Amino acid sequence: MDKKWLSDLAFLVDVTELLNVLNVQLQGKDQIITQLFYHIRAYKQKLLLLRRHLSAGNLANFPCFREAGMMKEKVPEYDAVLSNLIQEFDSRFEDFRHTASDFEWFVQPFTISVDTVSDDLQMEPIELQCDSELKHKFRSLPLTDFYKCVPANRFPKMCKQAQVMLSLFGSIYHCEQTFSLMNLNKCKLRCKVTDSHLHNILTLTVSPLHPNLEKLLKNKVQLHVSH
């Protein structure tokens, strides 16, 4: 068997495995933009670690490559692959670098240094960090629920910033989910489904809200049971 080909394949498998892990992490619902940003940042740090290990001949994080046997003459080529991959991620997610400080302020409002916040926003973090009641809620509630408890009249700029962060769509999960549900419901066997019916069906299936069926039935004057 060609040892060079086997070495290339083993290296590619190890690197692709990291990409697969990142791909799974970026999928799913109810993830806010900051969570996705941290997954991407962690992936870049993993690539930097792989470069350092590769240059030192450490194959601890290259299981397939280690089993196939490292060819020292191929190390510069593999290092170039990792370097290009890092540069590609930096280019693709360049916007994240400009908003990293906003992410930190949004995620860690009680520990972030006020000096890192823009001058026109510094007053509100100071007041927030001195509020013990809000600090307790921050520790006990999910991030999305915490900002619902922040008084907009006291912290108007922080609340507006939180709304911006929570409204950023990090994935197309909901779009894909809605499209799949539409295809399942709009089929040849249901030829009488109108646009209005389809809209109502999609609203019920995609929405996280659950109707109170018991209350709705009690409000009915007469029930019509189908035969």
Side-chain angles (χ1 to χ4, degrees):
M1 183 177 292
D2 189 342
K3 291 185 177 180
K4 290 185 178 180
W5 180 87
L6 184 61
S7 178
D8 292 343
L9 178 62
F11 174 78
L12 182 62
V13 169
D14 288 332
V15 175
T16 305
E17 175 62 22
L18 287 179
L19 278 171
N20 289 337
V21 172
L22 176 63
N23 183 39
V24 173
Q25 290 175 333
L26 297 180
Q27 295 178 15
K29 60 180 180 179
D30 299 331
Q31 290 199 82
I32 57 180
I33 190 67
T34 51
Q35 293 171 313
L36 304 178
F37 167 67
Y38 294 143
H39 290 320
I40 294 172
R41 188 168 67 177
Y43 177 76
K44 179 184 175 181
Q45 293 301 317
K46 291 177 183 178
L47 292 179
L48 293 172
L49 177 65
L50 291 182
R51 286 194 69 188
R52 295 196 299 269
H53 281 187
L54 187 64
S55 61
N58 183 354
L59 302 183
N61 292 298
F62 294 94
C64 295
F65 195 29
R66 182 175 64 249
E67 184 177 349
M70 183 179 70
M71 302 183 67
K72 293 184 179 181
E73 63 271 19
K74 300 280 288 184
V75 169
E77 179 182 338
Y78 298 150
D79 181 74
V81 171
L82 293 176
S83 177
N84 291 335
L85 189 56
I86 293 172
Q87 292 177 7
E88 185 67 21
F89 263 75
D90 285 339
S91 175
R92 294 279 183 175
F93 300 101
E94 184 178 3
D95 292 342
F96 277 168
R97 289 189 297 175
H98 303 299
T99 56
S101 59
D102 294 334
F103 289 162
E104 291 300 321
W105 181 37
F106 171 69
V107 175
Q108 298 292 343
F110 287 95
T111 58
I112 191 171
S113 174
V114 177
D115 295 331
T116 62
V117 182
S118 58
D119 295 342
D120 60 320
L121 301 176
Q122 290 178 340
M123 290 297 183
E124 291 188 9
I126 291 176
E127 184 173 354
L128 181 74
Q129 292 174 3
C130 294
D131 194 315
S132 299
E133 183 179 353
L134 288 176
K135 184 179 293 185
H136 174 72
K137 291 181 179 179
F138 177 77
R139 293 173 178 173
S140 58
L141 294 175
L143 195 61
T144 53
D145 293 337
F146 163 72
Y147 278 102
K148 295 177 183 178
C149 302
V150 177
N153 58 335
R154 290 177 56 195
F155 308 97
K157 295 179 181 179
M158 290 194 68
C159 289
K160 184 178 180 180
Q161 181 74 6
Q163 290 173 353
V164 171
M165 291 295 172
L166 293 173
S167 64
L168 293 174
F169 289 96
S171 71
I172 57 173
Y173 174 85
H174 289 293
C175 297
E176 294 177 346
Q177 181 191 35
T178 305
F179 185 74
S180 298
L181 290 170
M182 183 182 68
N183 287 336
L184 288 174
N185 287 282
K186 194 174 182 180
C187 60
K188 295 180 179 179
L189 300 178
R190 305 181 69 177
C191 57
K192 292 186 177 181
V193 175
T194 64
D195 290 341
S196 177
H197 291 151
L198 186 61
H199 180 270
N200 294 334
I201 291 172
L202 293 178
T203 301
L204 289 174
T205 51
V206 175
S207 173
L209 301 177
H210 299 285
N212 190 337
L213 297 178
E214 184 177 352
K215 183 177 180 180
L216 292 173
L217 291 174
K218 286 182 179 180
N219 292 335
K220 294 287 290 184
V221 178
Q222 182 179 359
L223 296 179
H224 298 279
V225 181
S226 60
H227 299 284

